[in-house]
Amino acid sequence: ARMGRTVVELFYDVISPYSWLAFEALCRYRHIWNIDLRFRPAFLGGIMQQTGNKPPAMLPKRGEYLLKDMKRMAKYYQVPLRMSADAFQHIMGTSSLTAMRFITAIDMTNPQYLEPLSREFWMRFWSQHEDITQPKNLLAVAQQAGLSAELSQKALEMISSATVKDRLKETTAEALKYGAFGMPAVVAHYDGEPHLFFGSDRLELLGSFIGE
């Protein structure tokens, strides 16, 4: 990092809609704030399991509220996130492990595609309500993000490798070490200390904290 720039890490999983909001907002702020934004693809399932956290929609009243909240947030941030009535069944019935391994493989080999690729995964799952678990769909997302067939195929082959599995586990463990219990987990390295901000609605607080 250049002198005086605050390193801000965003730990995210494409299964998390609030992560998409934080991702897009931070992508905008990085041009205005003096920050070095780092994307850290991690596995939400692992974080929930390790911390004993439960999906918020398991509480019916909270689930009802979340549907409305997401719609308002999507409109406010101007992100094409579309909540369907069965959005939570949709999440519960999907594992993001393969997608996050695929994103990790690209991060390790061609990090310049990390941002567009992650965005396309959110677009596919949260805007188009389409599958993100099948190999052919992973390749379709990669193609949308501008990756060549060759790079996409290589990443697909890498997802079953120990290197990729271990990297995703390490990133997830790092998020846990910073105190994450869900996503998005935003970690600002300020005054030599890491500071965790949870959720997409703490960005004003993050800005204020780092003097922005």
Side-chain angles (χ1 to χ4, degrees):
R2 296 204 292 279
M3 276 300 290
R5 283 179 92 73
T6 303
V7 172
V8 174
E9 295 183 277
L10 170 64
F11 291 88
Y12 67 92
D13 186 318
V14 294
I15 200 88
S16 155
Y18 285 107
S19 289
W20 190 12
L21 299 174
F23 173 90
E24 296 297 0
L26 285 169
C27 280
R28 296 166 195 171
Y29 281 133
R30 75 178 158 193
H31 301 295
I32 306 161
W33 289 355
N34 192 22
I35 60 173
D36 176 7
L37 180 60
R38 297 184 187 171
F39 300 119
R40 307 297 310 279
F43 181 48
L44 180 56
I47 287 179
M48 300 294 272
Q49 199 182 356
Q50 290 291 317
T51 57
N53 195 355
K54 301 268 186 295
M58 286 180 79
L59 186 69
K61 278 289 171 210
R62 195 169 175 193
E64 271 172 48
Y65 173 76
L66 280 183
L67 278 174
K68 292 174 192 158
D69 186 51
M70 288 301 326
K71 282 179 182 162
R72 288 190 293 224
M73 294 282 273
K75 190 177 176 187
Y76 176 75
Y77 282 115
Q78 299 180 329
V79 171
L81 197 160
R82 294 184 182 86
M83 291 303 279
S84 55
D86 63 349
F88 299 119
Q89 285 81 342
H90 194 41
I91 302 184
M92 303 298 267
T94 302
S95 169
S96 62
L97 188 57
T98 314
M100 294 318 294
R101 281 180 180 159
F102 187 80
I103 290 168
T104 299
I106 291 298
D107 187 25
M108 293 170 80
T109 54
N110 295 277
Q112 70 275 25
Y113 288 112
L114 182 58
E115 182 186 329
L117 181 69
S118 302
R119 183 175 286 117
E120 286 302 335
F121 268 104
W122 275 304
M123 287 292 287
R124 188 177 179 89
F125 191 74
W126 283 107
S127 222
Q128 295 147 3
H129 300 155
E130 287 179 41
D131 176 81
I132 55 164
T133 62
Q134 297 306 310
K136 67 174 195 303
N137 296 327
L138 299 177
L139 293 174
V141 172
Q143 192 186 350
Q144 266 317 109
L147 277 92
S148 69
E150 194 186 352
L151 288 183
S152 314
Q153 194 56 48
K154 189 182 160 207
L156 192 61
E157 284 157 20
M158 284 175 71
I159 60 181
S160 51
S161 72
T163 3
V164 166
K165 290 179 179 178
D166 289 348
R167 164 68 83 90
L168 185 59
K169 279 183 193 150
E170 281 158 21
T171 309
T172 306
E174 240 181 281
L176 285 161
K177 184 190 80 183
Y178 288 133
F181 51 88
M183 283 187 180
V186 181
V187 178
H189 296 269
Y190 194 71
D191 273 349
E193 295 280 329
H195 301 270
L196 173 72
F197 293 83
F198 172 69
S200 57
D201 56 352
R202 287 290 178 270
L203 300 178
E204 297 90 343
L205 194 59
L206 165 69
S208 167
F209 185 79
I210 62 175
E212 291 293 349

